[in-house]
Amino acid sequence: MKILVCIKQIPTSDININDSGKWITEGNNSSLAISRFDENALEEAILLKERFALLGISVDIDIISIGSQTAAESIKRAMGMGADNGIHVITEDKGYVSGAVTALRLATMIKKISKAENIIKMGDAPYSCCPYDLILTGIMSEDLMQAQVGPMLAEYLNIPCVTSVVNIKFDDNLNDNVDITDKIEVQRELEGGIRQNIKVKLPALLTIQAGINQPRYPSLSNILRANKKKILTYNIVDAQSSNSFDPLKVVRVEYPEKKREAKLLNGTTKDKAIELKNILKQRGLLI
Amino acid sequence: MNTKTILVIAEYLDGKLNPITDELIACAIEITKIFDLKAKDISGVKAISEIKVIHVKGINPLESEKYKSSLVPIIREINPSFILMGHTSQGIDVASGLSVRLGCNCITGVNKIIYPEYVDVGKSEDSKSNILFSRLVFKGKCNAIVGVEKPENITLLTIQSGSFYIKDCCKEYNNIISNEEYYPSNVDDSTISLIEYGDIAYSRTTKSKLNEAKVIVAAGRGIGDKENIEYLKKMAACFTGSAVAGSRPLIDMGWLPYEQQVGITGAIVSPELYLAVGISGSSQHIAGMKDSKFIVSVNKDPNAAIFNFSDISIVEDCLSFIQAFIDNIP
Ligand SMILES: Cc1cc2nc3c(=O)[nH]c(=O)nc-3n(C[C@H](O)[C@H](O)[C@H](O)COP(=O)(O)OP(=O)(O)OC[C@H]3O[C@@H](n4cnc5c(N)ncnc54)[C@H](O)[C@@H]3O)c2cc1C
Ligand SMILES: Nc1ncnc2c1ncn2[C@@H]1O[C@H](COP(=O)(O)O)[C@@H](O)[C@H]1O
């Protein structure tokens, strides 16, 4: 069984609007991380691998990330957590890339890789073109927050998609007649504590919501193993398809308007604490 | 060819109309206003002629693969310039995939409609797009102002709830709004056979003690560690009728129970005082607490989005601040 996890590297430092006003700059102590929901997606893939291993089914986890040179660190971290192979599509595009473009690039890469490695999965046509049984993405990226790439990628690959997944189950009744990798049961989350149960045939794409698991830390043995492995790298032109022009364009970035006064308290920590107490007392909120 | 239609897809859950639908209509009116302004600016551009609200019946919108398939022929028939859906769990599930099937532009989480300052072609980069859309990026710290490269294509938008309101002045547009029911005929799509939609489970209770609290002291990931919840409790103890709450990640990590989660997938609260400590202010959290009477936020990042929704802003390390607050009884 093969699982693909799509991960994105995002800045976690403070960000500011840059001088051109068209995009952002990262703060001084710039640090990068895997977008939080993608870490949940990755953890879920590893948990599935462990659960399938108990049933004697081996699972291979691929990681794909489209990003700058530094994204390799995030791929390495993912392999340190337990992923098997890394695919890095290098781009120096720093600005806004719309979901449609990223999804199309991912789809193009997936099709290309599957041909190269000739790992076409059996199954019912016309879905046989997807080389993965399961593709996981985050519900949304923490920087662009589009919640688009997963559902769009599923369309490009022509496989079913379930968004906001908070639970994955599979039928682990070992029975010769049933292929347990054929179908999984998932639960997706709606507003107000509502959940929907869905059974979906593989291959499928799931977008993962936080709360499904607690992402683990990379282990030393996995890091050592990962260091020995090569990340497959491609240039962004490899992921280009004939119609990959960006339908959207960011003309500028703005700080949102203030909905309330946002009175800033000044002075030392102690000054601020005392001033806040006085304000709250005046308002009868503190005795 | 000059008549433009805006298509609003009414959202239903369990056969009941979701209130987001009103916000979609309000947004459609905003778009109409901009095209009206434009019509005055340059001749030849015709204003919006119709806002069509469609109510798709006889199909469960939560069966999203089926729902997507049934919407395609309806949209092709109407051939609108804009399609509006909610940026809700349903909208997120359907809109992006639908846009690929339609080959149209798609912008998610739109919170504002903007009239480009320069409409003359060539004057600025805004010129190509005859209307701009604002959406949050970077945990809500800024808005990206987005235009479409091919405005002649259909543009599908999902609308951030809480961004548009039907106002009195909208009444003048009543005559262009029409409501129509659609009963999709047999939808044919091979993806449908691959997915089986089961029950809806109300597994988590939405009843929360938070609704009774006069003061809510809420923490986010900025609190740093599970142990530090103790500090939060001490701070809450300074107030009468108080409760402790948290942003979703704290609940996901098991630091606080689900009943104490504030936000779109947790409790919607409006206490006398909401004290937010180490919370960035993502739209999903804001939706749960923005109606609080008085909001005080503590965050080490002066650009944190939560400050845009606060009466009092305190730029501080949250633990040091809590300590100072507890210690200093003037
Ligand atoms: C469909 C969906 C539904 C969701 N529903 C909800 C919901 O109901 N409720 C909810 O809360 N979220 C919800 N989320 C998650 C939401 O998008 C955010 O990820 C979440 O609200 C962020 O929580 P946070 O502010 O605690 O963490 P972060 O965004 O990580 O923010 C932490 C903040 O702490 C500050 N900080 C860090 N260290 C310190 C320090 N030492 N002192 C002071 N400040 C510090 C940082 O500057 C930052 O602003 C949902 C997401 C999705 C996709
Ligand atoms: N550049 C990228 N490389 C790999 N995966 C990505 C990339 N951008 C987005 N994704 C995936 O798509 C999800 C949703 O992103 P978005 O639509 O931008 O909110 C993310 O959580 C990732 O799993």
Side-chain angles (χ1 to χ4, degrees), chain B residues 247-318:
Chain B
S247 68
R248 177 166 177 147
L250 266 57
I251 281 72
D252 289 340
M253 292 186 289
W255 295 4
L256 286 170
Y258 174 68
E259 288 70 41
Q260 276 156 275
Q261 179 182 321
V262 170
I264 193 161
T265 46
I268 311 285
V269 298
S270 51
E272 298 294 319
L273 170 64
Y274 192 86
L275 227 158
V277 194
I279 295 178
S280 63
S282 70
S283 61
Q284 292 92 1
H285 188 83
I286 298 294
M289 46 63 80
K290 67 173 181 348
D291 294 330
S292 304
K293 312 289 178 301
F294 200 66
I295 301 175
V296 176
S297 301
V298 184
N299 198 302
K300 71 174 168 61
D301 175 3
N303 286 330
I306 191 91
F307 290 137
N308 297 325
F309 298 88
S310 304
D311 298 285
I312 305 285
S313 306
I314 299 162
V315 180
E316 275 290 337
D317 169 70
C318 56

Side-chain angles (χ1 to χ4, degrees), chain A residues 11 13-17 22-24 36 96 127 140 142-148 151-152 155-156 159-163 166 183 188-201 209-211 214 245-265 268-270 272-274 276-281 283 285-287, chain B residues 13 62 65 68 88-89 93 96-97 99-101 105-108 112 117 125-126 132 135 137-150 190-191 194-204 206 221 238-239 248-249 252-253 258 264-265 272 284 290 292-296 303 307-316 320-321 324-325 328-330:
Chain A
S13 61
D14 299 353
I15 56 118
N16 292 294
I17 295 178
K22 285 179 189 287
W23 200 236
I24 57 103
R36 192 159 61 90
Y96 193 88
Y127 305 98
M140 66 174 192
E142 280 190 287
D143 54 353
L144 299 187
M145 303 169 39
Q146 304 179 99
Q148 284 194 317
M152 286 178 159
E155 291 293 329
Y156 289 129
I159 58 174
C161 170
V162 183
T163 58
V166 288
K183 206 181 239 179
R188 69 180 289 261
E189 184 193 60
L190 285 77
E191 292 84 357
I194 305 175
R195 289 174 171 208
Q196 181 185 16
N197 294 310
I198 297 173
K199 283 193 186 128
V200 61
K201 215 168 139 63
Q209 169 63 296
Q214 288 306 321
F245 107 105
D246 201 330
L248 307 182
K249 188 178 56 183
V250 167
V251 296
R252 59 177 184 273
V253 231
E254 296 174 350
Y255 291 114
E257 63 190 77
K258 291 211 183 319
K259 303 279 183 194
R260 298 195 185 202
E261 189 194 344
K263 182 177 153 65
L264 189 68
L265 303 191
T268 63
T269 314
K270 188 176 165 186
K272 291 175 191 171
I274 292 170
L276 177 64
K277 284 197 159 178
N278 288 336
I279 294 170
L280 297 180
K281 277 181 184 161
R283 298 190 143 255
L285 293 164
L286 193 66
I287 305 156
Chain B
L13 183 66
L62 293 184
E65 292 291 347
K68 270 186 271 189
T88 54
S89 59
D93 205 37
S96 299
S99 76
V100 172
R101 294 191 193 185
N105 306 316
C106 183
I107 307 173
T108 48
K112 208 158 88 185
E117 290 114 81
E125 283 194 33
D126 295 10
L132 298 172
R135 61 179 306 278
V137 288
F138 296 98
K139 297 182 177 178
K141 263 193 246 180
C142 23
N143 276 314
I145 312 300
V146 186
V148 299
E149 284 280 336
K150 290 189 175 167
S190 30
T191 351
L194 304 173
I195 188 158
E196 247 175 84
Y197 294 94
D199 317 337
I200 296 261
Y202 294 81
S203 61
R204 288 170 141 190
T206 45
R221 277 213 285 185
C238 300
F239 301 93
R248 177 166 177 147
D252 289 340
M253 292 186 289
Y258 174 68
I264 193 161
T265 46
E272 298 294 319
Q284 292 92 1
K290 67 173 181 348
S292 304
K293 312 289 178 301
F294 200 66
I295 301 175
V296 176
N303 286 330
F307 290 137
N308 297 325
F309 298 88
S310 304
D311 298 285
I312 305 285
S313 306
I314 299 162
V315 180
E316 275 290 337
S320 324
F321 185 79
F325 190 89
N328 289 284
I329 298 158

Side-chain angles (χ1 to χ4, degrees), chain B residues 61-295:
Chain B
L62 293 184
E63 304 198 354
S64 59
E65 292 291 347
K66 222 185 259 181
Y67 192 53
K68 270 186 271 189
S69 300
S70 69
L71 284 172
V72 171
I74 299 176
I75 293 165
R76 291 250 157 84
E77 186 194 319
I78 298 170
N79 191 25
S81 298
F82 298 96
I83 307 169
L84 308 188
M85 299 180 81
H87 194 61
T88 54
S89 59
Q90 280 189 36
I92 287 174
D93 205 37
V94 170
S96 299
L98 183 62
S99 76
V100 172
R101 294 191 193 185
L102 293 166
C104 71
N105 306 316
C106 183
I107 307 173
T108 48
V110 171
N111 58 16
K112 208 158 88 185
I113 308 292
I114 297 170
Y115 182 82
E117 290 114 81
Y118 303 100
V119 285
D120 270 357
V121 176
K123 262 198 193 160
S124 98
E125 283 194 33
D126 295 10
S127 57
K128 258 201 196 158
S129 185
N130 45 21
I131 185 165
L132 298 172
F133 308 94
S134 159
R135 61 179 306 278
L136 289 171
V137 288
F138 296 98
K139 297 182 177 178
K141 263 193 246 180
C142 23
N143 276 314
I145 312 300
V146 186
V148 299
E149 284 280 336
K150 290 189 175 167
E152 65 279 11
N153 282 0
I154 300 176
T155 299
L156 197 167
L157 309 173
T158 66
I159 304 305
Q160 186 68 57
S161 79
S163 308
F164 298 92
Y165 299 94
I166 298 263
K167 303 177 195 88
D168 279 347
C169 64
C170 294
K171 288 213 181 84
E172 58 182 289
Y173 290 95
N174 274 350
N175 60 333
I176 65 162
I177 302 174
S178 69
N179 280 276
E180 229 166 287
E181 290 190 354
Y182 271 85
Y183 291 85
S185 44
N186 279 346
V187 280
D188 164 50
D189 185 331
S190 30
T191 351
I192 294 169
S193 62
L194 304 173
I195 188 158
E196 247 175 84
Y197 294 94
D199 317 337
I200 296 261
Y202 294 81
S203 61
R204 288 170 141 190
T205 160
T206 45
K207 280 225 184 70
S208 165
K209 266 190 257 157
L210 295 178
N211 293 326
E212 291 148 32
K214 270 166 57 189
V215 174
I216 293 178
V217 182
R221 277 213 285 185
I223 196 89
D225 216 315
K226 187 176 182 178
E227 273 77 67
N228 297 336
I229 300 289
E230 287 311 312
Y231 285 94
L232 198 70
K233 289 184 179 158
K234 281 189 196 155
M235 189 172 198
C238 300
F239 301 93
T240 47
S242 68
V244 165
S247 68
R248 177 166 177 147
L250 266 57
I251 281 72
D252 289 340
M253 292 186 289
W255 295 4
L256 286 170
Y258 174 68
E259 288 70 41
Q260 276 156 275
Q261 179 182 321
V262 170
I264 193 161
T265 46
I268 311 285
V269 298
S270 51
E272 298 294 319
L273 170 64
Y274 192 86
L275 227 158
V277 194
I279 295 178
S280 63
S282 70
S283 61
Q284 292 92 1
H285 188 83
I286 298 294
M289 46 63 80
K290 67 173 181 348
D291 294 330
S292 304
K293 312 289 178 301
F294 200 66
I295 301 175

Side-chain angles (χ1 to χ4, degrees), chain A residues 67-285:
Chain A
S68 62
Q69 293 287 352
T70 58
E73 291 159 27
S74 291
I75 297 174
K76 272 268 163 5
R77 182 182 168 94
M79 289 163 79
M81 282 170 69
D84 298 289
N85 312 294
I87 304 158
H88 183 189
V89 184
I90 301 173
T91 169
E92 293 309 324
D93 270 359
K94 279 262 175 174
Y96 193 88
V97 182
S98 72
V101 170
T102 302
L104 197 55
R105 285 172 171 175
L106 288 170
T108 308
M109 279 319 296
I110 289 167
K111 284 176 183 163
K112 195 166 275 183
I113 291 161
S114 68
K115 277 219 194 83
E117 294 186 357
N118 202 19
I119 39 165
I120 294 171
K121 150 121 178 140
M122 65 304 160
D124 311 334
Y127 305 98
S128 51
C129 63
C130 181
Y132 293 98
D133 300 275
L134 200 56
I135 299 181
L136 306 182
T137 72
I139 182 171
M140 66 174 192
S141 56
E142 280 190 287
D143 54 353
L144 299 187
M145 303 169 39
Q146 304 179 99
Q148 284 194 317
V149 172
M152 286 178 159
L153 176 59
E155 291 293 329
Y156 289 129
L157 296 172
N158 203 11
I159 58 174
C161 170
V162 183
T163 58
S164 192
V165 169
V166 288
N167 192 10
I168 302 181
K169 278 196 290 201
F170 54 86
D171 188 1
D172 53 6
N173 257 331
L174 276 184
N175 177 333
D176 286 344
N177 302 320
V178 193
D179 176 5
I180 61 164
T181 63
D182 184 51
K183 206 181 239 179
I184 51 168
E185 265 182 76
V186 302
Q187 218 171 36
R188 69 180 289 261
E189 184 193 60
L190 285 77
E191 292 84 357
I194 305 175
R195 289 174 171 208
Q196 181 185 16
N197 294 310
I198 297 173
K199 283 193 186 128
V200 61
K201 215 168 139 63
L202 303 183
L205 187 145
L206 311 176
T207 82
I208 303 297
Q209 169 63 296
I212 191 171
N213 57 39
Q214 288 306 321
R216 70 192 67 194
Y217 288 98
S219 73
L220 189 59
S221 59
N222 280 338
I223 292 171
L224 293 175
R225 190 175 65 115
N227 281 339
K228 284 199 208 113
K229 283 207 165 184
K230 252 181 63 193
I231 296 175
L232 273 178
T233 53
Y234 290 88
N235 191 283
I236 194 68
V237 291
D238 296 319
Q240 234 67 287
S241 73
S242 52
N243 53 340
S244 53
F245 107 105
D246 201 330
L248 307 182
K249 188 178 56 183
V250 167
V251 296
R252 59 177 184 273
V253 231
E254 296 174 350
Y255 291 114
E257 63 190 77
K258 291 211 183 319
K259 303 279 183 194
R260 298 195 185 202
E261 189 194 344
K263 182 177 153 65
L264 189 68
L265 303 191
N266 294 312
T268 63
T269 314
K270 188 176 165 186
D271 294 342
K272 291 175 191 171
I274 292 170
E275 190 178 352
L276 177 64
K277 284 197 159 178
N278 288 336
I279 294 170
L280 297 180
K281 277 181 184 161
Q282 273 165 22
R283 298 190 143 255
L285 293 164

Side-chain angles (χ1 to χ4, degrees), chain B residues 33-45:
Chain B
K33 279 185 189 161
I34 285 186
F35 278 91
D36 276 353
L37 272 176
K38 265 223 155 91
K40 277 183 209 138
D41 268 17
I42 29 173
S43 56
V45 182

